[in-house]
mmCIF file of all heavy atoms in Angstrom:
data_model
loop_
_atom_site.group_PDB
_atom_site.id
_atom_site.type_symbol
_atom_site.label_atom_id
_atom_site.label_comp_id
_atom_site.label_asym_id
_atom_site.label_seq_id
_atom_site.Cartn_x
_atom_site.Cartn_y
_atom_site.Cartn_z
ATOM 1 N N PHE A 1696 -20.851 -78.238 71.800
ATOM 2 C CA PHE A 1696 -20.017 -78.179 72.952
ATOM 3 C C PHE A 1696 -18.725 -78.903 72.914
ATOM 4 O O PHE A 1696 -17.674 -78.324 73.179
ATOM 5 C CB PHE A 1696 -20.846 -78.828 74.160
ATOM 6 C CG PHE A 1696 -21.792 -77.872 74.814
ATOM 7 C CD1 PHE A 1696 -22.917 -77.272 74.045
ATOM 8 C CD2 PHE A 1696 -21.651 -77.345 76.053
ATOM 9 C CE1 PHE A 1696 -23.759 -76.364 74.554
ATOM 10 C CE2 PHE A 1696 -22.492 -76.486 76.751
ATOM 11 C CZ PHE A 1696 -23.632 -75.991 75.999
ATOM 12 N N GLN A 1697 -18.833 -80.025 72.338
ATOM 13 C CA GLN A 1697 -17.565 -80.953 72.227
ATOM 14 C C GLN A 1697 -16.607 -80.338 71.089
ATOM 15 O O GLN A 1697 -15.405 -80.252 71.217
ATOM 16 C CB GLN A 1697 -17.991 -82.390 71.778
ATOM 17 C CG GLN A 1697 -18.535 -83.104 72.943
ATOM 18 C CD GLN A 1697 -17.511 -83.233 74.091
ATOM 19 O OE1 GLN A 1697 -16.337 -83.700 73.920
ATOM 20 N NE2 GLN A 1697 -17.931 -82.768 75.206
ATOM 21 N N TYR A 1698 -17.279 -79.761 69.990
ATOM 22 C CA TYR A 1698 -16.553 -79.243 68.908
ATOM 23 C C TYR A 1698 -15.812 -78.000 69.518
ATOM 24 O O TYR A 1698 -14.646 -77.814 69.186
ATOM 25 C CB TYR A 1698 -17.392 -78.736 67.781
ATOM 26 C CG TYR A 1698 -18.127 -79.877 67.076
ATOM 27 C CD1 TYR A 1698 -19.283 -79.629 66.456
ATOM 28 C CD2 TYR A 1698 -17.714 -81.216 67.066
ATOM 29 C CE1 TYR A 1698 -20.164 -80.502 65.792
ATOM 30 C CE2 TYR A 1698 -18.349 -82.278 66.553
ATOM 31 C CZ TYR A 1698 -19.617 -81.861 65.935
ATOM 32 O OH TYR A 1698 -20.357 -82.919 65.254
ATOM 33 N N TYR A 1699 -16.439 -77.099 70.313
ATOM 34 C CA TYR A 1699 -15.818 -75.983 70.808
ATOM 35 C C TYR A 1699 -14.724 -76.449 71.864
ATOM 36 O O TYR A 1699 -13.591 -75.780 71.681
ATOM 37 C CB TYR A 1699 -16.847 -75.209 71.581
ATOM 38 C CG TYR A 1699 -16.221 -73.839 72.178
ATOM 39 C CD1 TYR A 1699 -15.929 -72.881 71.370
ATOM 40 C CD2 TYR A 1699 -16.019 -73.787 73.509
ATOM 41 C CE1 TYR A 1699 -15.290 -71.721 71.912
ATOM 42 C CE2 TYR A 1699 -15.430 -72.736 74.152
ATOM 43 C CZ TYR A 1699 -15.059 -71.623 73.303
ATOM 44 O OH TYR A 1699 -14.465 -70.561 73.773
ATOM 45 N N TYR A 1700 -14.837 -77.311 72.673
ATOM 46 C CA TYR A 1700 -13.862 -77.809 73.574
ATOM 47 C C TYR A 1700 -12.678 -78.303 72.852
ATOM 48 O O TYR A 1700 -11.557 -77.927 73.233
ATOM 49 C CB TYR A 1700 -14.367 -78.869 74.513
ATOM 50 C CG TYR A 1700 -15.548 -78.462 75.422
ATOM 51 C CD1 TYR A 1700 -16.323 -79.381 76.081
ATOM 52 C CD2 TYR A 1700 -15.765 -77.112 75.722
ATOM 53 C CE1 TYR A 1700 -17.363 -79.032 76.952
ATOM 54 C CE2 TYR A 1700 -16.751 -76.785 76.584
ATOM 55 C CZ TYR A 1700 -17.609 -77.752 77.197
ATOM 56 O OH TYR A 1700 -18.741 -77.322 77.994
ATOM 57 N N ARG A 1701 -12.877 -79.100 71.840
ATOM 58 C CA ARG A 1701 -11.701 -79.678 71.141
ATOM 59 C C ARG A 1701 -10.997 -78.557 70.391
ATOM 60 O O ARG A 1701 -9.808 -78.528 70.357
ATOM 61 C CB ARG A 1701 -12.273 -80.655 70.107
ATOM 62 C CG ARG A 1701 -12.768 -81.922 70.791
ATOM 63 C CD ARG A 1701 -13.418 -82.869 69.788
ATOM 64 N NE ARG A 1701 -14.185 -83.897 70.378
ATOM 65 C CZ ARG A 1701 -14.908 -84.781 69.816
ATOM 66 N NH1 ARG A 1701 -15.076 -84.768 68.452
ATOM 67 N NH2 ARG A 1701 -15.655 -85.679 70.469
ATOM 68 N N ASP A 1702 -11.695 -77.583 69.824
ATOM 69 C CA ASP A 1702 -11.036 -76.536 69.052
ATOM 70 C C ASP A 1702 -10.139 -75.750 70.123
ATOM 71 O O ASP A 1702 -9.046 -75.310 69.826
ATOM 72 C CB ASP A 1702 -11.965 -75.529 68.468
ATOM 73 C CG ASP A 1702 -12.720 -76.158 67.226
ATOM 74 O OD1 ASP A 1702 -12.116 -77.209 66.723
ATOM 75 O OD2 ASP A 1702 -13.705 -75.641 66.790
ATOM 76 N N LEU A 1703 -10.786 -75.420 71.255
ATOM 77 C CA LEU A 1703 -10.018 -74.711 72.342
ATOM 78 C C LEU A 1703 -8.889 -75.508 72.685
ATOM 79 O O LEU A 1703 -7.809 -74.963 72.999
ATOM 80 C CB LEU A 1703 -11.032 -74.470 73.467
ATOM 81 C CG LEU A 1703 -10.577 -73.510 74.537
ATOM 82 C CD1 LEU A 1703 -10.244 -72.133 73.878
ATOM 83 C CD2 LEU A 1703 -11.667 -73.227 75.542
ATOM 84 N N GLN A 1704 -8.960 -76.806 72.952
ATOM 85 C CA GLN A 1704 -7.881 -77.641 73.241
ATOM 86 C C GLN A 1704 -6.660 -77.552 72.267
ATOM 87 O O GLN A 1704 -5.545 -77.410 72.662
ATOM 88 C CB GLN A 1704 -8.321 -79.108 73.328
ATOM 89 C CG GLN A 1704 -7.168 -80.173 73.652
ATOM 90 C CD GLN A 1704 -7.638 -81.551 73.537
ATOM 91 O OE1 GLN A 1704 -8.788 -81.861 73.424
ATOM 92 N NE2 GLN A 1704 -6.666 -82.519 73.573
ATOM 93 N N GLU A 1705 -6.976 -77.565 70.978
ATOM 94 C CA GLU A 1705 -5.940 -77.528 70.018
ATOM 95 C C GLU A 1705 -5.324 -76.102 69.897
ATOM 96 O O GLU A 1705 -4.192 -75.957 69.803
ATOM 97 C CB GLU A 1705 -6.546 -77.847 68.549
ATOM 98 C CG GLU A 1705 -6.931 -79.364 68.525
ATOM 99 C CD GLU A 1705 -5.790 -80.266 68.822
ATOM 100 O OE1 GLU A 1705 -4.663 -80.014 68.441
ATOM 101 O OE2 GLU A 1705 -6.037 -81.116 69.719
ATOM 102 N N LEU A 1706 -6.142 -75.065 70.226
ATOM 103 C CA LEU A 1706 -5.630 -73.727 70.157
ATOM 104 C C LEU A 1706 -4.618 -73.610 71.342
ATOM 105 O O LEU A 1706 -3.530 -72.945 71.220
ATOM 106 C CB LEU A 1706 -6.702 -72.669 70.242
ATOM 107 C CG LEU A 1706 -7.572 -72.504 69.016
ATOM 108 C CD1 LEU A 1706 -8.718 -71.606 69.275
ATOM 109 C CD2 LEU A 1706 -6.639 -71.924 67.843
ATOM 110 N N LEU A 1707 -4.950 -74.037 72.500
ATOM 111 C CA LEU A 1707 -4.215 -73.964 73.686
ATOM 112 C C LEU A 1707 -2.935 -74.793 73.572
ATOM 113 O O LEU A 1707 -1.915 -74.346 74.026
ATOM 114 C CB LEU A 1707 -4.976 -74.417 74.959
ATOM 115 C CG LEU A 1707 -6.096 -73.440 75.429
ATOM 116 C CD1 LEU A 1707 -6.993 -74.120 76.369
ATOM 117 C CD2 LEU A 1707 -5.632 -72.173 75.935
#
Side-chain angles (χ1 to χ4, degrees):
F1696 277 64
Q1697 287 300 301
Y1698 299 153
Y1699 180 73
Y1700 296 160
R1701 291 174 194 172
D1702 288 347
L1703 196 53
Q1704 175 189 351
E1705 292 309 312
L1706 288 172
L1707 291 167

